[in-house]
Amino acid sequence: MTTISTPITSNFYSNQSITSTIIPRRKTRSVRVSRVTIGGGSPVVVQSMINEDTLDIAGSVSAIRRLHEIGCEIVRVTVPSLAHAKAVAQIKQQLKQTYQDVPLVADVHHNGMKIALEVANHVDKVRINPGLYVFEKPSDHRTEYTQTEFEEIGDKIRETLKPLVISLREQGKAMRIGVNHGSLAERMLFTYGDTPEGMVQSALEFIRICESFDFRNLIISLKASKVPVMVAAYRLLVKQMDELGMDYPLHLGVTEAGDGEYGRIKSTAGIATLLADGIGDTIRVSLTEAPEKEIPVCYSILQALGLRKTMVEYVACPSCGRTLFNLEEVLHQVREATKHLTGLDIAVMGCIVNGPGEMADADYGYVGKQPGYISLYRGREEIKKVPESKGVEELINLIKADDRWIDPP
């Protein structure tokens, strides 16, 4: 196994934040996306994107509904052509008629002005990629961009972006300036290199253009497939925005994270690191799997950091020679019986050494105190001792007695 050395740097955290158990979030402005608010102290919003071709109206409506029903609050659709942009109008209409008005984002890429202008009439937010929105033809012989050339292209971008900015401003809709590390414009690469600085400057250029037309309903993202690049880019952007007096909310994600366990770990490493710094107002976990698989990962990240409580928090010891029952099996039984509940902390501890002390913050505890018996706790208080065979049943009865039980759907 190869180990990469890590340079020692000065402490990133202040003494105040070291001792705090609550993550202080960066203050950002509120940006409305239909009925969902991003930033401004609102809960971190969960997003995903459907895989269906947007021309497939029925399939897209079904996919959007599936995501929304499991907790995806904003759904993105790809819009590669004018035909796709017009199809989004039908998708939006069918959602309203058959389900509800789900907040939609249109993803617009190459030379997207006409497409973006059309789809802006039908969605709640338009996402553009600064590196692709205005095509800059690469030159094999170029060695640099002069300041004049740089500014000329900037002026062209401003004129191309202007109609979309005005349309969104007039309609009270939002824009995501979505920079991707892998698709930086050539002049940004020549000027700043393949670096987080280039990503940040690309975003700031588009922010300034929007501000010049008095449009500030903006969300910014700086995604990369490498976690260190992604983290560095967001931290640098926050530093520069703070210096410039900008308070735009940020959309976090590790792009092209892959699939399976590593894809989830990679996404969590990037997203959770920044959220723990107080950075981030909306997130997407990008997996090479069905979009529905992304939502549980998002909520798990937010729950683990104490930013949202959307499910039961299970506290369980890792098991050892003192454990008085099959901990893995019992935890599974407890989880299956209670996983539909919201907002509870339930501890499953294999012996009296780990419980009740280690589970002091839990609402309920299930503890092995002697062979064949389970002690049930409410907080730190032992309520009853029951045979192990009735442990889960009696735990449910205790939750019911406190009027905190709801029947599973």
Side-chain angles (χ1 to χ4, degrees):
M1 178 182 293
T2 302
T3 303
I4 301 175
S5 61
T6 303
I8 299 174
T9 59
S10 60
N11 196 340
F12 182 80
Y13 303 98
S14 67
N15 289 331
Q16 182 179 2
S17 65
I18 287 173
T19 58
S20 175
T21 59
I22 299 174
I23 295 172
R25 293 177 60 197
R26 174 176 172 265
K27 291 182 180 179
T28 58
R29 67 173 55 232
S30 297
V31 176
R32 295 280 295 176
V33 181
S34 183
R35 63 179 180 274
V36 174
T37 300
I38 297 175
S42 297
V44 178
V45 174
V46 172
Q47 301 193 36
S48 185
M49 183 176 185
I50 64 170
N51 291 337
E52 278 71 14
D53 186 332
T54 317
L55 293 177
D56 178 2
I57 309 296
S60 295
V61 169
S62 179
I64 292 166
R65 179 169 178 169
R66 286 197 305 272
L67 276 172
H68 193 260
E69 286 176 337
I70 62 171
C72 180
E73 294 158 299
I74 298 176
V75 182
R76 184 155 49 116
V77 299
T78 186
V79 189
S81 72
L82 271 174
H84 287 83
K86 292 174 181 177
V88 173
Q90 298 179 58
I91 291 170
K92 192 75 166 172
Q93 183 180 19
Q94 285 197 21
L95 282 167
K96 290 178 181 178
Q97 291 175 345
T98 63
Y99 178 55
Q100 58 178 281
D101 189 11
V102 178
L104 294 185
V105 180
D107 204 31
V108 180
H109 281 279
H110 296 276
N111 293 328
M113 183 179 68
K114 291 182 180 179
I115 299 169
L117 279 173
E118 172 64 33
V119 81
N121 297 317
H122 314 307
V123 295
D124 308 292
K125 181 171 74 172
V126 175
R127 182 264 171 149
I128 60 169
N129 182 338
L132 300 174
Y133 189 74
V134 173
F135 182 66
E136 299 176 30
K137 186 176 181 180
S139 171
D140 294 335
H141 307 294
R142 183 181 293 280
T143 58
E144 65 175 356
Y145 272 86
T146 66
Q147 186 64 30
T148 300
E149 288 176 315
F150 195 98
E151 291 174 356
E152 284 176 351
I153 294 176
D155 291 340
K156 180 182 176 183
I157 290 172
R158 186 178 189 275
E159 290 308 305
T160 306
L161 193 60
K162 178 180 177 180
L164 175 62
V165 171
I166 291 173
S167 174
L168 293 173
R169 186 191 69 194
E170 296 299 312
Q171 296 184 73
K173 295 180 177 180
M175 175 192 291
R176 171 153 73 96
I177 298 173
V179 178
N180 269 12
H181 180 233
S183 56
L184 282 176
E186 185 185 64
R187 69 197 171 104
M188 290 295 173
L189 289 171
F190 270 102
T191 306
Y192 300 102
D194 187 13
T195 63
E197 174 72 14
M199 299 171 69
V200 169
Q201 292 304 322
S202 182
L204 289 175
E205 178 180 54
F206 272 66
I207 291 172
R208 291 187 179 104
I209 291 171
C210 291
E211 288 184 338
S212 73
F213 296 113
D214 196 27
F215 179 65
R216 291 173 173 80
N217 288 343
L218 302 173
I219 297 103
I220 316 299
S221 67
L222 302 174
K223 295 189 179 183
S225 58
K226 294 180 179 179
V227 171
V229 174
M230 173 258 199
V231 170
Y234 278 103
R235 285 177 173 167
L236 180 59
L237 177 65
V238 166
K239 180 177 182 295
Q240 296 205 12
M241 285 205 301
D242 286 349
E243 291 170 355
L244 294 166
M246 296 176 177
D247 59 355
Y248 298 108
L250 300 178
H251 172 120
L252 304 184
V254 179
T255 191
E256 299 145 359
D259 66 349
E261 181 182 37
Y262 185 65
R264 286 160 172 78
I265 292 172
K266 189 175 181 181
S267 289
T268 301
I271 294 170
T273 296
L274 291 165
L275 288 174
D277 287 346
I279 297 169
D281 303 276
T282 179
I283 65 173
R284 185 211 171 175
V285 169
S286 300
L287 298 177
T288 313
E289 299 179 27
E292 292 88 340
K293 300 288 185 69
E294 298 176 357
I295 308 307
V297 188
C298 291
Y299 279 116
S300 293
I301 292 171
L302 297 175
Q303 173 113 357
L305 290 169
L307 292 171
R308 293 190 75 163
K309 194 142 189 171
T310 56
M311 52 191 167
V312 174
E313 181 86 12
Y314 295 98
V315 180
C317 60
S319 186
C320 69
R322 294 188 302 266
T323 303
L324 296 176
F325 53 78
N326 187 323
L327 190 65
E328 186 175 356
E329 180 181 319
V330 171
L331 176 60
H332 175 75
Q333 292 171 0
V334 171
R335 189 191 301 275
E336 286 301 304
T338 60
K339 65 183 180 181
H340 64 287
L341 301 175
T342 301
L344 294 182
D345 292 351
I346 299 177
V348 180
M349 297 296 184
C351 72
I352 193 59
V353 173
N354 280 339
E358 298 292 336
M359 63 174 201
D361 293 331
D363 297 300
Y364 299 99
Y366 184 111
V367 181
K369 259 188 155 178
Q370 68 184 73
Y373 286 87
I374 298 299
S375 289
L376 296 176
Y377 284 74
R378 180 191 292 116
R380 292 176 178 268
E381 180 186 3
E382 184 175 358
I383 303 300
K384 63 173 80 171
K385 187 182 294 181
V386 300
E388 184 181 333
S389 60
K390 292 186 174 294
V392 176
E393 177 186 342
E394 290 298 325
L395 172 63
I396 292 172
N397 288 337
L398 178 58
I399 298 172
K400 286 180 176 179
D402 292 343
D403 200 25
R404 303 183 75 176
W405 177 265
I406 59 172
D407 290 327

